[in-house]
Each structure stands twice: as structure tokens, then as C-alpha cells.
Amino acid sequence: MAAPKLKMRLGDLLVHEHIISNDQLMQALNSQKVTGRKLGDALIELGHISERQLLEFLAQQLDVPFLDISQVRIPTEIASLLPEVHARRLRALVIEDQGESILIGMSDPADLSGLDQLEVMLSPKRIKLAVVMESQLYEAFDGLYRRTADIESFASQLEEEYQEGSDFDLSATFMDEGGDATVGKLLQSVFEDAVQMRASDIHIEPDENQLRIRQRIDGVLQESILKENKIASAMALRLKLMAGLDISEKRLPQDGRFNLQIKGHSIDVRMSTMPVQYGESVVMRLLDQSAGLLSFDETGMPAEMIVRLRHQISRPHGMVLVTGPTGSGKTTTLYAALSELNKASNKIITVEDPVEYRLPRINQVQVNNKIDLTFSRVLRTALRQDPDILMVGEMRDQETVEIGLRGALTGHLVLSTLHTNDAITSALRLLDMGAAGFLVGSSLRAIIAQRLVRRICENCLVDYQPNEQENLWLTHLVGDNVEQVSFKQGKGCQSCQYTGYKGRIGVFELLEMNEPMMAALKRDDTEAFSEHAKKHPTFKPLALSAFDYAKSGITTVEEVLRLVETIDVVGNE
């Protein structure tokens, strides 16, 4: 194709069309001199124009279409006509094969050098150009250029390398140089694919005739299957070496951790192995250390709740609990609190299993039960280290609970987690664990219960009408007729891998202790405590908070009902 050209310089054109002012152009040009970035990027960064506005204008000037590729289904084999390395370098994507021509999306259609290279690479086909948003391009790259083909190829190669007959033991010959290299490439591809898809966990599960590799993405497992089931032992062995575990022990579970650098991300991997019927199951939790810690504002916590919680953690003593099941975001909330409290004037000690994020200035202790370095033992020592704030990873037993409560009673702020369903039952759980009522009532200041729900993908948001059964559930939940409420769902698009969801947001309830509640705990009156808690003027149950998200179009009715199923008490009884 003949490369499109602008009749005037971009900045002059934008001023001429009154999209930006001359002063804004001068600001962008001055910024460009300092940063060396393109003028369009400088204008977007300064907020003078949006990315979409700029690209639509460029498309109009160049007489080429502007495409929202989040709404276009692009087959993987079509995108693969242009190898990933060139696609990312040139910021270009094959959108459609039209026979004699190919439709290419570019975020910088004025990149003449890039266009020339594309013409050579895709020859003899003619190039048709479309303008697309750069942010959508990178999302499409991650979804379309997955490592699935690499994983299948390396798995097949690994099995061939060790195939010496109908029965063979990969682990016996594993240390051969070639096999080590291949299994390393296979695992590298598995990790790259997981990071690309924003997976929080990887499950490697051997079965009788196949090997399952599952990724937990936005809280839901997604599965891929390899026919080379016999390579599972080689993968497990290689991972054990990386985590410093005993490679000869296959009969007992083991836990370890290691760090990887994947595509510019520092990934901390927590690994657990477990003997199963056909080998060893390996589950890995991925923690992106380079992503940084979230603040309260980024967790999805309502602004008025943040104000109340900040008041609670600014108090000089008392206990604040964060509760919820595994994978509900408790650690994220705790670390957000620690980040706010991490000042030169505060001595902070944490007792964790494991230490998930390394924080400067904070004294973090890793529990090690093998040498009797338990929560309770470290906590007793920590109280003699003159701390202002203590963070206990989890209240696991009576001794830890009592030491933590006494620490809160004697002038320390204690933050910790508990595995319970909601805020009200958390206080009662402390009593069930054997803590004295007077200790709980005197020390406990606030309880946050939380869950994570999936966000609706903003690129494919459509109206949703609940069915009769869902309306009955929602009416029971909120106590009102909900048929007039407008709900949303995602219809599925390229951006969300056709799931309708993208990302997650926290749902929270915050219960702050008042005098009647504290008095009920001190006399072990659990019924009175529950009644006073439910009547607390600022207390709003998790289910109602999730319903508010659904009303606002942030999440779906499906996610609200899924959350309700995890809570023992439904509605506002």
C-alpha cells in the first residue's frame, strides 16, 4: 500500500482543528524535548487530549478506519501471521486475512518505517491499514500470543528425549543436559503464559492418561491439557530443585519458594507439592513483587469505610482483624495498612508464614515450625522488642490469640487475620478458640470481613435482566422488589478472553466495636453481641455491599449470588 501521509505536522493540525490550543502544543513540545517521547504521547500524558480522540483524528486525516479491536474476534492463527516479536516491536496486529490483502491494526499509522517492514514481512499480500488504541493492542498481544503452542511443543520434545521404551522413568535420567534444558524451557513458557494472563496460581496435576495445567485467573480455574502425562515427574523434579526441596522425597508433601524474573516482573513463587495417585501435584502461588502494594483506595474499599478504618489503625492500641476465606485478599488489606503505618516513628514487627512482600523498615519474621519458630514463640519475643505495631499473619491457635490480645491490651496495635465467613462470627470465633471473654471485649477494636468479586469487562458491558429465580434470591437478600433495578453483564470480547469479566474488586464489611458489643463479649453473651452488631448504625453486611456493586454495574448478579453462597447468614436477618 502507499504509505499514508499527513498534509501538515500533527501539532499544527490539532491546533488548526481547535482540538488543542497553541499553548498546549508548546507545553507538549517542551515536554517532548525533555522526555524524547512522541508528540502524541506527550499530549496524552499532559491530559490535553485522550488516546482515543487523538487516534480517531489521525485516522480521519489519513483516511483509514479507526477500529475498536476489543469488539473484534481475532483468531489466533490470523494474529500469528505476524510473529509476536515483530508485532510488539512495530505495535501492529494482523486483524483479518482478506485473501489478497491483510488488515493490519497499528497504534502509530504515521510510522512509515514500520509500514515498510510490514510490507516486506507479509509480502506478497497487500496491507490495508486500520488505526487501533495502543492499550488495546497490548491487551490483544497478551491474549493472542499465548505460550500454548510453545508449551505443547516443549512437552512433546521432552517426552521424545526421554523415550527409551514403553516404560521409562524421567526422573532417573533427568539430570542429562538436554532434558534439563528442555524442561527449563517448558516451565519458562508455563510461567510466561501465567504472568501474561494475570494468573494468581498454577496447578500442575498428573492424571492417568494426561497432564493438566490449570491457571487461576480472576479467582476461577482455567484448564489446558497435555497428552504427555509422563513428563509430570520431570516438571516436579525441576521445580523442587528451584525451590531447594528434597528431590528424593516423593511420598510426603513439601513446601518451598523461589523467585523468577519474567518479562520484567519479579515473581515470588510459593510452591506446594502433594503425592497423588499418578505422581505429585504441584501448586504454585504467584506474587508479583514488581507490581507494588495496593493502597486502601485501590482495593475497592468505599471512601467512608477507608476513613473509619484509618481511624481504627491510627489508635495506639487494640486489635484489628481482617477475615475471610483463603484467596479473599486479606493479605493485600493488611499490607495496605502496614504501608500507611510504616513511618520512622513506628516500630513494626510482623510474624508471617510465609513473608509475602518485603517491606523496608519493617522487621519481618518468617515462621519455621521445623525449628519450633512458631507464631506464639515469635510473638512473645516480639513483645520484648519494644514494638508499637505487631502484625500476626494468622490467628491459628489459642496461645497465639491470647498473646495477641494481651499485646493489644498492653499498649500495642495488633493487626491479624482469621479464617471466618463474616465480621460478626469472627469475634465469636475468638471465644471458640478459648480466648477469655474479658480479653476479647477489652482488646478487639474492629473487624474487616472481605471477599473478591469479578469485575464486569468495561469493553463489552450490556444490560442484563435477572431470571425469576435470581429475582427471588435478590429480593430475599435486600428485602425489596428488585425487578426495576438495572443490572449489567459482559457479553464477552477480545479484551476479557470472552469471559465477560476482567479483574476483581474487594467487597468489604467493617464492624467497629461499641460499648454494648464489648460488654456482651466480656460476659460471653454471643447472642447479645450478634444483635448489637447487626444494629450498629455503620455496619453493612458483605452481601448488601456486593449488591450495591451490581446495581452500579461493577459486577454481575451471578457474582453477588456466588458470594452469598459462601456466607452462612443470608440477607439482613
Side-chain angles (χ1 to χ4, degrees):
M1 65 171 287
K5 294 182 181 178
L6 293 172
K7 298 169 186 174
M8 297 170 60
R9 290 184 302 178
L10 176 61
D12 295 332
L13 267 173
L14 291 168
V15 172
H16 182 265
E17 296 295 326
H18 305 292
I19 294 173
I20 63 171
S21 67
N22 198 58
D23 287 344
Q24 289 174 329
L25 174 60
M26 289 301 108
Q27 283 181 10
L29 289 170
N30 290 332
S31 172
Q32 187 185 21
K33 289 175 185 176
V34 175
T35 63
R37 303 184 67 184
K38 294 182 178 180
L39 178 63
D41 292 335
L43 286 166
I44 293 168
E45 192 174 300
L46 290 166
H48 298 328
I49 192 170
S50 70
E51 181 188 7
R52 190 183 190 99
Q53 196 178 2
L54 174 64
L55 292 179
E56 285 179 342
F57 175 77
L58 272 174
Q60 182 182 359
Q61 293 298 315
L62 298 171
D63 195 25
V64 295
F66 173 83
L67 277 184
D68 180 352
I69 58 171
S70 68
Q71 304 302 317
V72 179
R73 184 180 283 270
I74 305 170
T76 305
E77 61 272 16
I78 295 298
S80 299
L81 292 173
L82 182 63
E84 180 183 6
V85 63
H86 299 305
R88 290 186 183 272
R89 180 173 60 85
L90 299 172
R91 291 183 293 177
L93 180 68
V94 178
I95 298 172
E96 186 181 353
D97 186 349
Q98 300 175 335
E100 293 183 356
S101 61
I102 283 182
L103 181 62
I104 293 278
M106 290 186 74
S107 61
D108 184 4
D111 180 3
L112 304 185
S113 172
L115 279 168
D116 289 341
Q117 293 177 59
L118 287 169
E119 285 188 329
V120 171
M121 282 185 270
L122 297 170
S123 177
K125 299 213 175 195
R126 193 164 49 88
I127 289 177
K128 287 186 178 178
L129 187 64
V131 182
V132 300
M133 293 175 67
E134 187 171 295
S135 55
Q136 290 185 354
L137 259 188
Y138 285 118
E139 283 181 354
F141 290 156
D142 287 345
L144 291 167
Y145 291 109
R146 292 194 63 178
R147 296 294 176 268
T148 310
D150 289 344
I151 292 169
E152 291 173 354
S153 173
F154 288 132
S156 176
Q157 182 182 339
L158 182 61
E159 187 173 53
E160 287 176 10
E161 286 174 358
Y162 289 107
Q163 185 76 52
E164 296 175 350
S166 57
D167 296 312
F168 61 99
D169 181 7
L170 284 170
S171 60
T173 55
F174 173 73
M175 298 311 291
D176 290 350
E177 185 179 347
D180 188 27
T182 305
V183 78
K185 290 175 184 175
L186 170 59
L187 288 170
Q188 180 78 7
S189 297
V190 169
F191 283 119
E192 285 182 358
D193 189 59
V195 170
Q196 207 164 286
M197 298 307 294
R198 311 180 324 277
S200 61
D201 301 82
I202 301 172
H203 296 234
I204 300 174
E205 303 167 339
D207 209 334
E208 183 177 8
N209 299 311
Q210 58 196 13
L211 174 63
R212 287 188 175 85
I213 297 180
R214 301 202 273 178
Q215 299 176 346
R216 191 174 294 281
I217 301 171
D218 292 337
V220 178
L221 283 172
Q222 297 184 14
E223 182 176 85
S224 58
I225 292 175
L226 297 175
K227 64 181 186 299
E228 298 85 0
N229 62 314
K230 293 183 180 180
I231 67 170
S233 58
M235 296 176 73
L237 187 56
R238 174 69 164 158
L239 288 166
K240 283 182 177 180
L241 285 169
M242 295 167 71
L245 302 181
D246 182 355
I247 62 173
S248 64
E249 181 56 78
K250 299 179 182 179
R251 301 163 302 168
L252 296 173
Q254 295 188 69
D255 296 309
R257 68 188 300 167
F258 55 91
N259 188 271
L260 287 173
Q261 296 296 319
I262 303 286
K263 292 190 166 185
H265 296 259
S266 176
I267 306 297
D268 203 33
V269 182
R270 279 167 41 195
M271 173 177 147
S272 170
T273 70
M274 182 176 68
V276 292
Q277 189 175 6
Y278 297 104
E280 286 182 283
S281 168
V282 179
V283 176
M284 293 172 285
R285 168 66 55 88
L286 309 182
L287 296 167
D288 190 348
Q289 299 286 343
S290 55
L293 297 175
L294 295 182
S295 66
F296 284 140
D297 302 297
E298 294 170 309
T299 61
M301 193 178 291
E304 54 84 21
M305 189 180 289
I306 292 174
V307 172
R308 289 157 49 207
L309 182 55
R310 281 183 173 142
H311 168 69
Q312 293 296 340
I313 65 172
S314 66
R315 300 172 74 169
H317 57 85
M319 178 178 282
V320 176
L321 286 177
V322 183
T323 74
T326 301
S328 59
K330 300 187 297 296
T331 302
T332 299
T333 302
L334 268 186
Y335 275 99
L338 287 179
S339 295
E340 297 213 356
L341 296 167
N342 189 7
K343 302 171 185 174
S345 56
N346 285 331
K347 168 86 170 186
I348 303 176
I349 300 175
T350 73
V351 191
E352 305 173 65
D353 184 22
V355 174
E356 297 200 14
Y357 294 94
R358 278 81 170 179
L359 299 175
R361 198 190 288 121
I362 295 180
N363 298 272
Q364 297 173 273
V365 182
Q366 166 78 54
V367 167
N368 187 345
N369 290 319
K370 292 178 183 177
I371 58 171
D372 198 32
L373 192 66
T374 60
F375 274 105
S376 54
R377 185 172 184 178
V378 177
L379 198 49
R380 278 194 298 269
T381 304
L383 287 168
R384 296 194 289 270
Q385 291 272 312
D386 188 29
D388 297 293
I389 299 159
L390 287 168
M391 192 273 269
V392 186
E394 184 184 346
M395 290 292 175
R396 290 186 177 178
D397 51 54
Q398 180 180 353
E399 188 178 10
T400 305
V401 169
E402 289 189 345
I403 296 170
L405 288 169
R406 290 185 186 280
L409 197 61
T410 55
H412 307 90
L413 176 65
V414 179
L415 309 176
S416 189
T417 70
L418 201 60
H419 285 272
T420 49
N421 277 347
D422 56 34
I424 294 175
T425 57
S426 298
L428 307 182
R429 174 71 179 136
L430 294 178
L431 298 176
D432 290 341
M433 292 174 76
F438 80 90
L439 262 183
V440 180
S442 303
S443 305
L444 195 58
R445 293 290 174 262
I447 307 170
I448 312 155
Q450 64 182 84
R451 297 289 191 283
L452 294 174
V453 295
R454 291 181 289 174
R455 286 178 179 268
I456 301 173
C457 174
E458 295 181 359
N459 289 309
C460 56
L461 202 65
V462 294
D463 291 331
Y464 176 72
Q465 184 62 47
N467 60 38
E468 186 177 347
Q469 185 64 38
E470 288 172 333
N471 273 325
L472 285 173
W473 270 100
L474 292 171
T475 300
H476 174 65
L477 180 68
V478 299
D480 296 312
N481 193 313
V482 297
E483 291 186 5
Q484 304 305 315
V485 178
S486 175
F487 297 103
K488 302 289 183 184
Q489 71 173 4
K491 66 178 182 181
C493 66
Q494 188 78 43
S495 179
C496 62
Q497 297 291 298
Y498 303 97
T499 62
Y501 296 99
K502 189 167 185 187
R504 290 189 290 177
I505 188 171
V507 180
F508 302 87
E509 65 182 20
L510 174 60
L511 179 63
E512 298 171 284
M513 298 296 117
N514 58 18
E515 285 300 328
M517 290 158 63
M518 293 163 69
L521 286 173
K522 287 176 183 177
R523 61 176 186 268
D524 290 341
D525 190 342
T526 57
E527 287 187 11
F529 171 79
S530 298
E531 287 302 315
H532 289 305
K534 290 171 185 174
K535 293 175 183 176
H536 196 291
T538 62
F539 177 66
K540 186 175 190 177
L542 278 168
L544 296 186
S545 297
F547 179 75
D548 286 347
Y549 279 152
K551 281 200 301 184
S552 304
I554 294 171
T555 193
T556 61
V557 170
E558 175 191 30
E559 283 292 283
V560 174
L561 297 182
R562 192 162 71 93
L563 178 144
V564 169
E565 289 173 0
T566 69
I567 303 171
D568 289 335
V569 181
V570 179
N572 50 3
E573 300 173 17

